[in-house]
Amino acid sequence: MKKRITAILIAISMALSFTACNEAKTPDTESNSSAIATTTTANKTDITTTTPKPTTTTTTTTPKPTTTTTPKPTTTTTTTTTTPAPLWTEEKIEPTKKYLNTWVYSRKDALMGSETLTLYNLNEIVTIVAVTNTDYCKLDNGEYIHSDYLSDGIIEYTTTTTTTTTTTTPPTNMTQATQDPNAPAPAKYISSGYQPLDDIIFPLLDTLVFDYMTVDEKCYSIYYYLTENFKYQERTLLIPQDKKNIEGQLFAMSLFEKKIGICYDFSYAYMYMTRAIGLDSRVHNGLHYSGPYEYTDHSWVMINLGGVEYGYDPAMDGVIKNYGTSQGVGTYNRYRMSPEQLANDFRYIF
């Protein structure tokens, strides 16, 4: 039995050696195209030898689809912000002491009509730290006062009293009681009740009215002087409570000192100047016609001449004559207004 198995193994070895020699001589022979199978049956046992064909692996890579995203166009919105121009500008200066030349309130802003803050008295000292392009001055406490109400020195009102003594030879029939040689001569003008104002208007009247003039010529001369030499312009003048008894005189004083004023200032100046020459003059306050179906606050002067009340409005005539309105330039439209014109154009309050 052993010999038989040995013979079989020798036969297999020889067959393998022969096959190896053939492969070495013919390299182009396909050694991988067939399988060599040797089956030996020994003791009813099958032995199978299998040489597998080479496996070829092919790898195919399928690329993923590429998604291209087109960006949305960018929208740029440009917002232009316009900075409003300042209501006023300031220029700092070295702190400077000033005196108040009247009683006046300071303001919160450097603008006419802005909120009032503090009442300052005549000749009160304030410190200026800046000036504005609206003619207001900034105080060291942040408040504002118009430059028109500030002075470099103390305001002094000088009262001058002139007494003229006239000696005449009285008639022989006069009683002893009327022969006092030291009695003062009658005053040339009637006082306004406020000496500082008298000191201003009396010398003016010496140059404006003369004995040879008629009453109307005297009224016109004073009227012409006021409308030609003073400008209608808004201003602030607050009268302290303890000065209310001379309010009209202070309105007139304001016009003469500042050279500008409103209807109250012009009216009281004209009233006191015509009263000074003996006329029955009064200021009236009410409404006047200022446009189609429109009436606004106003003041003017009424003078009784021969029992008839005539109206005089130097404030508005100054505007009409010098600056022009729909009523015309170069003429007076409100000088010696008749009762009929007054009834049409004016509404009385007091």
Side-chain angles (χ1 to χ4, degrees):
M1 183 68 179
K2 292 182 179 180
K3 290 180 180 181
R4 190 176 180 182
I5 293 172
T6 302
I8 292 171
L9 292 174
I10 292 172
I12 292 172
S13 298
M14 290 177 68
L16 291 173
S17 298
F18 178 77
T19 302
C21 289
N22 288 337
E23 289 178 352
K25 288 179 180 180
T26 58
D28 296 332
T29 303
E30 292 183 5
S31 61
N32 296 328
S33 64
S34 62
I36 300 175
T38 304
T39 304
T40 304
T41 302
N43 296 328
K44 298 180 181 181
T45 300
D46 294 330
I47 301 175
T48 303
T49 303
T50 303
T51 304
K53 292 181 180 181
T55 302
T56 303
T57 302
T58 303
T59 303
T60 303
T61 303
T62 303
K64 295 181 180 180
T66 303
T67 303
T68 304
T69 303
T70 303
K72 294 181 180 180
T74 303
T75 303
T76 303
T77 303
T78 303
T79 303
T80 302
T81 303
T82 303
T83 303
L87 297 177
W88 74 89
T89 58
E90 298 180 7
E91 180 183 351
K92 291 184 178 181
I93 62 172
E94 290 295 322
T96 305
K97 300 291 184 183
K98 292 285 186 178
Y99 292 87
L100 272 299
N101 58 28
T102 188
W103 294 267
V104 66
Y105 276 94
S106 60
R107 294 193 176 275
K108 182 179 180 180
D109 301 317
L111 300 170
M112 183 176 293
S114 68
E115 180 183 348
T116 56
L117 299 177
T118 306
L119 176 62
Y120 289 85
N121 296 316
L122 175 68
N123 289 325
E124 188 170 344
I125 300 175
V126 294
T127 301
I128 307 302
V129 297
V131 294
T132 72
N133 62 338
T134 55
D135 294 330
Y136 277 82
C137 295
K138 186 176 185 179
L139 308 186
D140 55 355
N141 61 1
E143 299 173 2
Y144 295 89
I145 290 181
H146 199 280
S147 58
D148 284 347
Y149 306 127
L150 300 171
S151 300
D152 293 327
I154 295 177
I155 303 300
E156 295 182 357
Y157 293 112
T158 304
T159 301
T160 303
T161 303
T162 302
T163 303
T164 303
T165 302
T166 304
T167 303
T168 59
T169 303
T172 56
N173 61 348
M174 293 183 65
T175 63
Q176 185 66 31
T178 62
Q179 297 181 15
D180 184 0
N182 296 319
K188 185 177 181 180
Y189 302 114
I190 298 173
S191 174
S192 66
Y194 186 54
Q195 188 63 46
L197 180 59
D198 293 345
D199 292 339
I200 293 175
I201 65 176
F202 287 179
L204 287 174
L205 291 171
D206 284 338
T207 66
L208 296 174
V209 297
F210 302 95
D211 292 341
Y212 63 82
M213 289 180 170
T214 65
V215 170
D216 186 63
E217 289 173 338
K218 293 177 180 179
C219 289
Y220 186 89
S221 179
I222 298 170
Y223 198 85
Y224 181 87
Y225 171 79
L226 292 177
T227 59
E228 293 296 318
N229 292 280
F230 301 92
K231 181 180 178 181
Y232 187 97
Q233 182 175 316
E234 293 292 335
R235 56 91 188 115
T236 300
L237 179 64
L238 300 175
I239 309 299
Q241 193 63 38
D242 60 346
K243 302 291 182 181
K244 289 293 184 179
N245 61 318
I246 55 170
E247 181 179 59
Q249 292 92 328
L250 293 178
F251 283 139
M253 287 287 295
S254 176
L255 180 69
F256 290 119
E257 291 174 349
K258 298 177 177 61
K259 307 300 181 185
I260 61 170
I262 59 175
C263 56
Y264 297 112
D265 309 331
F266 279 89
S267 295
Y268 278 103
Y270 190 65
M271 182 192 75
Y272 284 118
M273 292 183 79
T274 51
R275 274 188 180 181
I277 60 175
L279 299 180
D280 181 12
S281 306
R282 298 172 311 283
V283 169
H284 279 256
N285 297 284
L287 305 174
H288 77 123
Y289 181 79
S290 57
Y293 309 105
E294 183 177 352
Y295 287 83
T296 56
D297 293 337
H298 195 49
S299 70
W300 61 96
V301 177
M302 300 291 292
I303 300 178
N304 188 307
L305 299 174
V308 179
E309 296 280 342
Y310 293 95
Y312 300 81
D313 189 357
M316 287 308 300
D317 257 346
V319 175
I320 293 170
K321 183 174 185 294
N322 296 313
Y323 303 101
T325 67
S326 59
Q327 295 174 294
V329 182
T331 59
Y332 288 133
N333 293 274
R334 295 189 172 186
Y335 175 81
R336 192 167 174 159
M337 291 179 285
S338 66
E340 292 75 20
Q341 183 178 352
L342 289 167
N344 289 331
D345 295 343
F346 292 81
R347 300 290 182 270
Y348 300 96
I349 295 178
F350 60 90

